[in-house]
């Protein structure tokens, strides 16, 4: 797979507000571990290898466990996530799959015991932002770094 265009070079003035929004969401007060889980889960759903690579590396660097990252696509069947994280992941899936889900009341109501109204807005902007980044990376075929090296037979 080869990349298409680099939007940061082709239209930097249009991309800049998204970069600024990203920084604002990152500094919004939501836990950084939660932010990484949400970004990774949305990226899994959207099939964005570039973003999965980036956000899992950042999460591991910030102390997130390999096990929780491996289990993220099956979070509903795992006890590794807090109730707050589970509510956020359900909302992430509902908004990422908006055409199929319509953002169900059950997922929205599930946020209420764990997030303030302000945090729900921040979480919603987080989900929206990563979905935009996924569409940019997938649409323009952004390539993640090749960090895996195949094993070679001993000579």
């Amino acid at each position: 797979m080869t990349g298409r265009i680099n939007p940061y070079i082709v239209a930097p003035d249009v991309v800049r507000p998204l970069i600024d929004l990203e920084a604002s969401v990152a500094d919004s007060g939501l836990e950084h571990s939660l932010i990484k889980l949400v970004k990774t889960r949305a990226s899994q759903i959207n099939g964005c290898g570039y973003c999965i690579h980036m956000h899992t590396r950042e999460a591991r660097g910030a102390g997130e466990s390999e096990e929780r990252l491996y289990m993220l696509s099956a979070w509903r069947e795992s006890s590794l996530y807090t109730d707050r994280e589970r509510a956020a992941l359900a909302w992430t899936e509902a908004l990422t799959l908006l055409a199929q889900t319509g953002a169900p009341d059950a997922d929205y109501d599930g946020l209420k015991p764990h997030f303030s109204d302000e945090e729900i807005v921040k979480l919603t902007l987080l989900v929206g932002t990563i979905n935009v980044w996924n569409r940019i990376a997938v649409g323009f075929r952004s390539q993640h770094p090749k960090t895996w090296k195949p094993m070679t037979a001993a000579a």
Side-chain angles (χ1 to χ4, degrees), residues 3 18 34 43 46 49-52 62 68 73 90 99 124 127 152:
L18 183 57
L34 179 69
S43 299
N46 289 320
Y50 182 88
C51 293
I52 292 168
R68 280 173 35 101
S73 64
T124 301
V127 174
T152 57

Side-chain angles (χ1 to χ4, degrees), residues 20-48:
D20 294 341
L21 176 60
E22 173 72 26
S24 179
V25 170
D27 293 334
S28 70
L30 293 174
E31 308 94 288
H32 289 286
S33 60
L34 179 69
I35 291 171
K36 293 304 175 196
L37 290 176
V38 165
K39 287 181 175 185
T40 301
R41 184 63 191 125
S43 299
Q44 289 173 334
I45 293 166
N46 289 320
C48 185

Side-chain angles (χ1 to χ4, degrees), residues 3-152:
R4 292 179 172 160
I5 61 174
N6 184 331
Y8 310 99
I9 294 171
V10 174
D13 292 342
V14 177
V15 175
R16 172 47 62 197
L18 183 57
I19 293 169
D20 294 341
L21 176 60
E22 173 72 26
S24 179
V25 170
D27 293 334
S28 70
L30 293 174
E31 308 94 288
H32 289 286
S33 60
L34 179 69
I35 291 171
K36 293 304 175 196
L37 290 176
V38 165
K39 287 181 175 185
T40 301
R41 184 63 191 125
S43 299
Q44 289 173 334
I45 293 166
N46 289 320
C48 185
Y50 182 88
C51 293
I52 292 168
H53 182 271
M54 177 192 320
H55 299 303
T56 56
R57 286 178 61 91
E58 290 172 351
R60 283 192 308 271
E64 184 59 76
S65 75
E66 293 284 331
E67 187 174 22
R68 280 173 35 101
L69 292 172
Y70 296 150
M71 294 301 297
L72 189 55
S73 64
W75 66 268
R76 291 179 193 273
E77 288 77 40
S78 175
S79 60
L80 295 175
Y81 307 95
T82 67
D83 290 341
R84 180 176 165 93
E85 290 168 338
R86 297 171 73 74
L89 291 169
W91 190 237
T92 299
E93 290 184 0
L95 296 183
T96 300
L97 299 169
L98 189 60
Q100 291 110 311
T101 70
D105 290 341
D107 290 333
Y108 178 76
D109 293 342
L111 294 169
K112 292 300 213 170
H114 308 288
F115 292 88
S116 69
D117 287 349
E118 182 180 352
E119 288 176 319
I120 292 171
V121 171
K122 293 173 181 179
L123 178 62
T124 301
L125 287 170
L126 168 62
V127 174
T129 304
I130 188 57
N131 273 277
V132 172
W133 286 121
N134 289 164
R135 279 144 182 81
I136 290 169
V138 172
F140 295 132
R141 304 289 191 255
S142 299
Q143 300 297 300
H144 65 80
K146 293 182 181 180
T147 55
W148 178 82
K149 295 185 189 247
M151 294 178 61
T152 57

